[in-house]
Amino acid sequence: AQTVTQSQPEMSVQEAETVTLSCTYDTSESNYYLFWYKQPPSRQMILVIRQEAYKQQNATENRFSVNFQKAAKSFSLKISDSQLGDTAMYFCAFMKHDSGAGSYQLTFGKGTKLSVIP
Amino acid sequence: DAGVIQSPRHEVTEMGQEVTLRCKPISGHNSLFWYRQTMMRGLELLIYFNNNVPIDDSGMPEDRFSAKMPNASFSTLKIQPSEPRDSAVYFCASSLSTVLSSYNEQFFGPGTRLTVL
């Protein structure tokens, strides 16, 4: 079974500064994907960024980027130029490819509550 | 597209009552997932369907929980009888999954906040 660990229950950052959220995972799979989801107070789960395990290049989406270290099984999220709207819970998630059924299960970490301070 | 639709958004019930949560996936999606979110356990996968067939229900906590997907556009999660420890936010998500696909994003509904008194 896969496990995802987020060791920082809460973090805060000043507006316009940079913050990094940590995530580690454990798996014996070789074919998988990693994700960061954002959950603002509205409760909606929003996909922020994803990384394919077979790609060495770190994924980037505007102000969001990841540091993917496959050997260390580490997948951190960096948010640059933090904005007030970035205040939310952030979940790291793992997806393996269930090739038999063609379906994909997500395993989530417990989340990090990020507060952006004006 | 309206996205994944869940109803009701909020449900308050008394212990022992039957609760039915509803989900309409995105049109054309063939995989549907039910998750439960609590402070203690975080987000957990309860069950998922592929082409209306339940594939893995190992996350369903006990026999009081049941899920159905009678057609491609509708699924229910039922709790009977409900207990206070079932209080949580229940999310439904859908995706378009094929064996040949390398990746299929899951789109989440807004969730149903269930409170069992």
Side-chain angles (χ1 to χ4, degrees):
Chain A
Q2 286 66 231
T3 59
V4 178
T5 302
Q6 293 179 248
S7 58
Q8 306 150 315
E10 293 192 40
M11 293 190 73
S12 60
V13 62
Q14 288 290 137
E15 193 176 4
E17 296 295 308
T18 296
V19 64
T20 298
L21 309 183
S22 301
C23 173
T24 58
Y25 60 96
D26 189 23
T27 184
S28 57
E29 302 284 338
S30 57
N31 185 15
Y32 57 89
Y33 300 86
L34 295 163
F35 306 87
W36 280 98
Y37 280 86
K38 170 185 178 181
Q39 187 179 41
S42 67
R43 213 168 63 206
Q44 183 71 45
M45 293 289 287
I46 303 166
L47 178 62
V48 174
I49 197 167
R50 68 177 173 94
Q51 174 80 41
E52 291 90 338
Y54 62 86
K55 288 187 177 180
Q56 293 186 343
Q57 185 174 6
N58 289 324
T60 299
E61 289 287 342
N62 300 314
R63 297 183 296 106
F64 299 88
S65 62
V66 299
N67 183 5
F68 174 47
Q69 302 290 326
K70 190 173 184 180
K73 295 181 180 176
S74 171
F75 182 61
S76 61
L77 174 70
K78 185 171 80 171
I79 306 174
S80 304
D81 185 24
S82 298
Q83 301 176 359
L84 297 179
D86 296 334
T87 293
M89 283 288 290
Y90 286 82
F91 293 94
C92 179
F94 173 100
M95 175 187 281
K96 69 174 184 177
H97 179 187
D98 185 348
S99 58
S103 295
Y104 306 80
Q105 304 182 68
L106 280 168
T107 301
F108 288 90
K110 291 291 180 66
T112 295
K113 184 178 181 181
L114 177 68
S115 298
V116 180
I117 302 167
Chain B
D1 197 318
V4 176
I5 299 172
Q6 290 187 247
S7 64
R9 292 293 307 276
H10 304 274
E11 177 79 28
V12 180
T13 190
E14 293 190 347
M15 182 175 63
Q17 296 298 305
E18 177 179 298
V19 175
T20 299
L21 310 182
R22 298 173 176 79
C23 175
K24 177 179 169 55
I26 292 173
S27 178
H29 283 188
N30 61 348
S31 289
L32 185 140
F33 306 80
W34 282 101
Y35 294 89
R36 179 172 68 175
Q37 184 178 29
T38 61
M39 289 294 292
M40 290 296 294
R41 300 175 67 89
L43 274 154
E44 305 171 282
L45 177 67
L46 299 178
I47 184 171
Y48 76 92
F49 296 83
N50 196 38
N51 294 321
N52 310 338
V53 176
I55 302 300
D56 185 354
D57 65 354
S58 60
M60 296 285 263
E62 48 197 275
D63 292 345
R64 299 183 297 104
F65 286 69
S66 62
K68 294 182 179 180
M69 192 164 187
N71 56 62
S73 60
F74 184 66
S75 177
T76 59
L77 178 67
K78 185 175 293 186
I79 308 172
Q80 166 64 16
S82 58
E83 297 182 3
R85 60 194 169 116
D86 301 331
S87 297
V89 178
Y90 291 81
F91 286 98
C92 176
S94 72
S95 70
L96 176 60
S97 301
T98 67
V99 175
L100 297 179
S101 299
S102 61
Y103 163 72
N104 298 282
E105 180 178 349
Q106 290 185 21
F107 294 83
F108 284 77
T112 295
R113 180 177 293 279
L114 173 65
T115 303
V116 183
L117 302 174

